[in-house]
Amino acid sequence: MLELNFVGYEAISAKRQDEPGFSLRIELVDGTSVHVGYYPEANVLSPGAHGTEELKELVTSERQRIKDIVEGRVR
């Protein structure tokens, strides 16, 4: 399980500035899920947490895999 420290909205907002983010759905151990904003360049989650390098690699590699499939580069 990934543990993330709470940072706060002001620090997150300043770090990500105008970076476009996307919605990330996180499924929890109990089967529930939560949607959060994720900004990969700044590696932050909204509301108020910095991502780990492991999280960033996981999200960016999965997004690239999906993009490759959609664009027909992977069969």
Side-chain angles (χ1 to χ4, degrees):
M1 181 181 326
L2 297 174
E3 292 185 21
L4 303 175
N5 294 324
F6 180 78
V7 177
Y9 179 79
E10 291 80 16
I12 297 299
S13 183
K15 187 170 182 182
R16 68 177 175 85
Q17 295 180 355
D18 294 328
E19 177 186 352
F22 56 87
S23 180
L24 183 63
R25 182 178 143 222
I26 301 171
E27 186 172 328
L28 305 175
V29 174
D30 67 0
T32 60
S33 63
V34 61
H35 289 262
V36 296
Y38 181 65
Y39 304 88
E41 291 300 315
N43 198 19
V44 295
L45 297 142
S46 182
H50 284 280
T52 62
E53 287 303 312
E54 181 181 16
L55 175 66
K56 183 176 183 177
E57 177 62 29
L58 175 71
V59 172
T60 55
S61 64
E62 185 65 11
R63 283 180 52 91
Q64 186 62 53
R65 186 184 72 82
I66 293 167
K67 183 178 179 182
D68 290 346
I69 291 169
V70 168
E71 293 177 356
R73 290 187 286 228
V74 176
R75 297 193 190 278

